[in-house]
């Protein structure tokens, strides 16, 4: 297939592009800079210049492709406090893809998130998030809109990704937490730190997206979680050991002052199962888990700057 990938030079996209090409697909990647375009070309993909705000580019490229995988999300906005703005831009992009793919029967795979499904309980692919107008639930509403495209003749599916898709070179939540620990001189967790995050290695995520675009039935929800739930205190302890700093609890009322924008996410207890996804697609994660990956040391080699 000729597959249009947004976010193709990003964290997961840069792993997905070779995954697709190595399995016989052609890739057209959205590139918002010359550097991104050059990286895509070097990887064997075709680059199309534009951003997720260029809705005509999205529509035209999708219409000329056999499938679309939408990974791009304005993490630069989300990670600096404007999660709502990032989520609203994502919804506009999904609507544009829906316009282009209506009636074609072609696959459309959307990256979404696992956070907030069933706090304190193990979420499954059957669980639906609460849409209440909060910034996080805006993204959930976008996922619902993507699944609703099945009624318009699109083979749409949604991959709900773990809050951390880790690996060497990560600049997301784990890298930010390392940077905060280094800056504060302590590796912190909120409360007793028993709250859990599902986790996924970026290379396992890439394979999941490839299987989804090839196989997922219309209207399918998939869970990108290799590990059901990793306690945040365990994460903090690994970071403290590698940074040689104390590991300490941060009171919930002091969390925002300590962790800034990350506090709300770090407090979540959102374990999730991927059993149904594995059975449906034959997907079996094969790369290191979060604690093992942190223990490899690459997160601690180059100091990061807190966002």
């Amino acid at each position: 297939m000729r597959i249009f990938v947004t976010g193709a030079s990003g964290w997961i996209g840069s792993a997905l592009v070779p995954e697709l090409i190595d399995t016989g697909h052609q890739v057209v990647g959205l590139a918002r800079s010359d550097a991104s375009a050059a990286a895509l070309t070097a990887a064997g993909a075709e680059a199309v210049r534009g951003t997720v705000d260029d809705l005509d580019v999205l529509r035209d490229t999708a219409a000329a492709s056999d499938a679309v995988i939408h990974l791009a999300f304005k993490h630069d906005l989300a990670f600096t406090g404007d999660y709502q703005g990032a989520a609203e831009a994502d919804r506009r992009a999904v609507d544009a893809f829906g316009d282009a793919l209506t009636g074609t029967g072609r696959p459309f795979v959307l990256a979404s998130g696992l956070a907030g499904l069933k706090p304190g309980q193990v979420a499954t692919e059957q669980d639906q998030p609460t849409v209440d107008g909060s910034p996080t639930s805006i993204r959930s509403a976008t996922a619902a809109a993507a699944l609703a495209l099945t009624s318009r003749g699109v083979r749409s599916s949604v991959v709900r990704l773990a809050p951390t898709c880790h690996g060497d070179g990560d600049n997301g939540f784990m890298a930010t937490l390392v940077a905060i620990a280094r800056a504060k001189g302590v590796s912190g967790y909120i409360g007793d730190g028993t709250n859990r995050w599902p986790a996924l290695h970026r290379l396992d995520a890439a394979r999941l997206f490839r299987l989804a675009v090839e196989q997922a039935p219309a209207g399918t929800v998939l869970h990108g979680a290799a590990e059901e739930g990793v306690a945040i205190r365990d994460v903090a302890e690994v970071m403290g050991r590698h940074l040689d700093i104390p590991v300490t609890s941060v009171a919930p009322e002091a969390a925002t002052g300590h962790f800034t924008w990350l506090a709300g996410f770090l407090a979540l207890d959102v374990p999730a199962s991927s059993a149904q996804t594995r059975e449906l697609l034959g997907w079996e994660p094969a790369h290191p888990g979060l604690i093992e990956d942190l223990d490899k040391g690459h997160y601690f080699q180059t100091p990061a700057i807190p966002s």
Side-chain angles (χ1 to χ4, degrees), residues 176-215:
T176 300
L177 194 56
V178 168
I180 291 171
R182 183 177 274 117
K184 297 288 187 178
V186 297
S187 180
Y189 54 87
I190 299 172
D192 63 9
T194 59
N195 61 300
R196 300 150 293 173
W197 275 16
L200 178 65
H201 196 282
R202 69 187 284 257
L203 298 178
D204 289 319
R207 183 165 183 267
L208 177 56
F209 277 101
R210 193 258 297 172
L211 292 172
V213 79
E214 291 176 343
Q215 303 178 27

Side-chain angles (χ1 to χ4, degrees), residues 119-257:
Q121 303 179 56
V122 178
T124 73
E125 292 86 343
Q126 304 306 313
D127 291 316
Q128 298 300 317
T130 299
V131 177
D132 57 9
S134 66
T136 301
S137 75
I138 293 174
R139 198 172 187 188
S140 299
T142 298
L147 295 174
L149 292 175
T150 60
S151 66
R152 294 166 56 186
V154 180
R155 180 163 68 82
S156 58
S157 61
V158 169
V159 177
R160 294 172 177 164
L161 288 169
T164 179
C165 288
H166 55 88
D168 194 355
D170 178 15
N171 286 311
F173 285 146
M174 288 300 111
T176 300
L177 194 56
V178 168
I180 291 171
R182 183 177 274 117
K184 297 288 187 178
V186 297
S187 180
Y189 54 87
I190 299 172
D192 63 9
T194 59
N195 61 300
R196 300 150 293 173
W197 275 16
L200 178 65
H201 196 282
R202 69 187 284 257
L203 298 178
D204 289 319
R207 183 165 183 267
L208 177 56
F209 277 101
R210 193 258 297 172
L211 292 172
V213 79
E214 291 176 343
Q215 303 178 27
T220 301
V221 173
L222 303 165
H223 276 191
E227 295 177 280
E228 190 172 279
V230 180
I232 297 300
R233 181 169 183 167
D234 292 342
V235 171
E237 287 176 347
V238 174
M239 292 183 178
R241 184 171 70 251
H242 279 270
L243 295 172
D244 194 23
I245 57 177
V247 179
T248 186
S249 171
V250 176
E253 60 270 22
T256 299

Side-chain angles (χ1 to χ4, degrees), residues 14-58:
S14 59
L16 176 60
V17 168
E19 173 78 23
L20 292 172
I21 291 173
D22 289 348
T23 50
H25 300 290
Q26 295 176 287
V27 175
V28 181
L30 186 68
R32 62 178 181 175
S33 69
D34 290 341
S36 294
L40 288 171
T41 301
E46 176 186 337
V48 172
R49 288 300 302 269
T51 73
V52 291
D53 294 320
D54 295 320
L55 302 184
D56 287 341
V57 173
L58 301 187

